[in-house]
Amino acid sequence: KGMAIPRKAGIPLSVMKVLDPRQLKPDSREAERILTILDETIVKLEITRLIPRILGSLDRYSRMLGPEITSRLLEHQNLSMEIQHLLTSPEEKKSMRAAEKRLKCSLRNILRLFLANPLLYHGLKFEVRVRQSPADVFVKAFMEFRDFTLERLLTTPDEEKEKIQFMKDISLRVEKNTKTISALQEELAGVIQTRDEEVSRKDKTIEDLKISMEDLAKNCKVDIQMIMKEGEKQQKEDEEASQDRCARLKQDIQQLGIQLNALVLEHRASELVLRKEKCKTEKEIHKWVQKYDTDMTEKQTTYEETQTVYNKEKEQLSLLMEKHAMLIQEYTLIEEERRMLKEKEEEAAREEARRNKAATCIQAFWKGYLVRSIYKSKLKKGKGKGKGKGK
């Protein structure tokens, strides 16, 4: 019972985080950004892993992909074939570098299109059957790196101390088990020695009995035979019991030795893996932190420049708004003056029309009057001539 492996309830929290990193949740903006970058990289790796299989059956998936992604994939396939052709002629190094740049640009554009449509990516992930390849090992290793990075980002110094203490406890348990095995081996040696002494004693007793039996052979043959049978039976029973006990003790020693070796190998392997992962992760984190600082510095500079331009344009916009308001007032006054001037012109036109109409009426009346006057004068002249002829 003392050699039983500790239960999960006795494992510290930091070690639980190492054993099950999926339970971890980032609690800082920087950690979330780093994890977002790693998750996007994993998605890009998985999409890149699917692209060769999709190109092999492009007619089958063209309807699902759509015309834009299909055309990009065809262009990517043509670039791949061009690079394969260039590999056969090592003299065209410049063309090779240009083709590689175009291939990388094409791959980035394809990844952007897939990332913009996550439902398409998840559908293809379950639709496309991809064989096992070295890329799977790399993706799996990158996922483990992501989990290890998450654990390192969220492991506090106290949790680190707790993990170290846990490893010390394991070492103490291994040492205790080693002492227990040594004690059991000593006990086994004592039991074997005791058994040998008993066997020697019984052999001596048998020899003595044989001597006595030789002396009493003539008078006690039957008794001697019974004693020999009982002695042999007792010896056989003792030997069987001793053998059973020795077998049980050896089995217990073997089991304890196997458990000890398994624990030692397990903890040595885990310690080696943790050391390698720690060094690798520290290097990666240092590189990512430097890259993050550089990117954030550039973005901060860009933001400040954009903010300066924005403030200037905002000031210009406020001036233009003031001018616009003044122009609107002037325009309103001009429109009002135009309206009043138009009303005056319309009124003058109406007045002119009335005057023209009145003048036309007067002229018509006057012409009628003149015509009537001339007509009347002609009638009077005609009547006067008629009367003169009659006389």
Side-chain angles (χ1 to χ4, degrees), residues 81-103:
M81 294 174 66
E82 181 180 354
I83 288 176
Q84 290 178 358
H85 176 70
L86 290 173
L87 287 173
T88 58
S89 57
E91 298 177 357
E92 300 180 2
K93 293 183 179 180
K94 294 183 179 179
S95 301
M96 185 66 182
R97 287 196 291 269
E100 287 178 353
K101 289 182 180 179
R102 283 185 280 132
L103 183 67

Side-chain angles (χ1 to χ4, degrees), residues 9-10 33 50 67 107 136 157 160 244 257 276-277 327 347 385:
R33 289 175 179 172
L50 295 176
L107 181 59
D136 297 335
E160 188 70 23
D244 292 338
K276 291 182 179 179
E277 291 180 353
L327 290 174
E347 185 64 26
K385 290 179 179 181

Side-chain angles (χ1 to χ4, degrees), residues 2 9 12 14 22 35 73 95 106 114 122 124 154 157 183 206-207 211 216 219-220 261 265 279 283 306 364 375 389:
S14 60
R22 294 173 297 177
L35 290 177
L73 289 172
S95 301
S106 174
F114 275 105
H122 288 293
L124 288 172
L154 298 181
I206 291 170
E207 290 295 330
I211 293 170
L216 299 174
N219 301 321
C220 306
N261 293 330
L265 292 174
C279 295
K283 292 180 181 178
T306 307
Y375 183 70
K389 289 180 180 181

Side-chain angles (χ1 to χ4, degrees), residues 147-364:
D147 294 336
F148 186 79
T149 302
L150 175 60
E151 189 270 333
R152 290 296 302 166
L153 288 173
L154 298 181
T155 300
T156 62
D158 294 335
E159 292 174 346
E160 188 70 23
K161 292 179 181 178
E162 189 178 6
K163 183 165 63 176
I164 293 171
Q165 185 62 38
F166 177 75
M167 298 301 293
K168 289 182 179 179
D169 293 340
I170 292 295
S171 300
L172 291 174
R173 290 181 183 178
V174 171
E175 185 178 358
K176 183 178 179 182
N177 292 335
T178 305
K179 292 180 179 179
T180 304
I181 291 171
S182 300
L184 289 173
Q185 289 177 346
E186 292 177 358
E187 183 181 354
L188 176 61
V191 170
I192 293 172
Q193 185 178 0
T194 304
R195 186 201 64 178
D196 293 338
E197 290 177 355
E198 290 180 355
V199 171
S200 298
R201 182 173 54 80
K202 288 179 181 179
D203 289 338
K204 187 178 180 180
T205 304
I206 291 170
E207 290 295 330
D208 294 338
L209 290 173
K210 284 181 179 180
I211 293 170
S212 299
M213 286 167 59
E214 288 176 359
D215 295 336
L216 299 174
K218 296 178 181 179
N219 301 321
C220 306
K221 277 187 177 182
V222 177
D223 295 336
I224 291 171
Q225 289 177 356
M226 291 177 62
I227 292 170
M228 288 180 67
K229 289 181 179 179
E230 289 179 358
E232 290 175 355
K233 183 178 179 181
Q234 185 66 33
Q235 182 181 4
K236 187 177 180 180
E237 290 177 354
D238 292 340
E239 288 179 354
E240 290 178 355
S242 177
Q243 289 176 358
D244 292 338
R245 188 176 180 186
C246 289
R248 286 196 301 270
L249 290 173
K250 287 181 179 179
Q251 187 176 3
D252 292 339
I253 290 171
Q254 289 177 355
Q255 290 178 356
L256 292 173
I258 291 170
Q259 291 180 2
L260 175 62
N261 293 330
L263 288 173
V264 170
L265 292 174
E266 180 182 356
H267 292 300
R268 284 180 180 174
S270 62
E271 182 181 2
L272 182 60
V273 171
L274 289 173
R275 287 179 183 276
K276 291 182 179 179
E277 291 180 353
K278 179 182 178 183
C279 295
K280 184 178 178 182
T281 305
E282 287 178 352
K283 292 180 181 178
E284 292 291 334
I285 289 173
H286 183 66
K287 183 176 72 174
W288 282 108
V289 167
Q290 287 181 347
K291 183 178 179 182
Y292 172 76
D293 293 338
T294 304
D295 293 342
M296 290 306 295
T297 302
E298 293 177 356
K299 290 181 180 180
Q300 182 66 28
T301 305
T302 305
Y303 171 76
E304 291 175 356
E305 294 175 355
T306 307
Q307 185 67 28
T308 304
V309 174
Y310 170 74
N311 293 331
K312 291 181 180 179
E313 291 181 354
K314 189 174 181 182
E315 292 176 358
Q316 294 177 0
L317 178 63
S318 62
L319 294 174
L320 292 174
M321 290 295 291
E322 293 177 358
K323 291 181 180 180
H324 181 262
M326 295 174 64
L327 290 174
I328 287 175
Q329 292 180 357
E330 293 178 0
Y331 175 76
T332 305
L333 293 174
I334 292 170
E335 285 293 323
E336 185 65 23
E337 291 177 358
R338 287 180 179 177
R339 186 183 62 78
M340 294 176 66
L341 182 60
K342 186 176 181 181
E343 289 180 355
K344 289 180 180 181
E345 289 177 354
E346 290 177 352
E347 185 64 26
R350 286 195 296 270
E351 185 67 24
E352 184 69 23
R354 286 196 300 269
R355 289 178 180 177
N356 291 333
K357 187 176 181 182
T360 302
C361 292
I362 292 170
Q363 289 176 358

Side-chain angles (χ1 to χ4, degrees), residues 49 129-137 140:
R49 177 172 158 268
R129 301 296 180 184
V130 182
R131 297 178 179 178
Q132 293 292 332
S133 64
D136 297 335
V137 180
K140 184 177 179 181

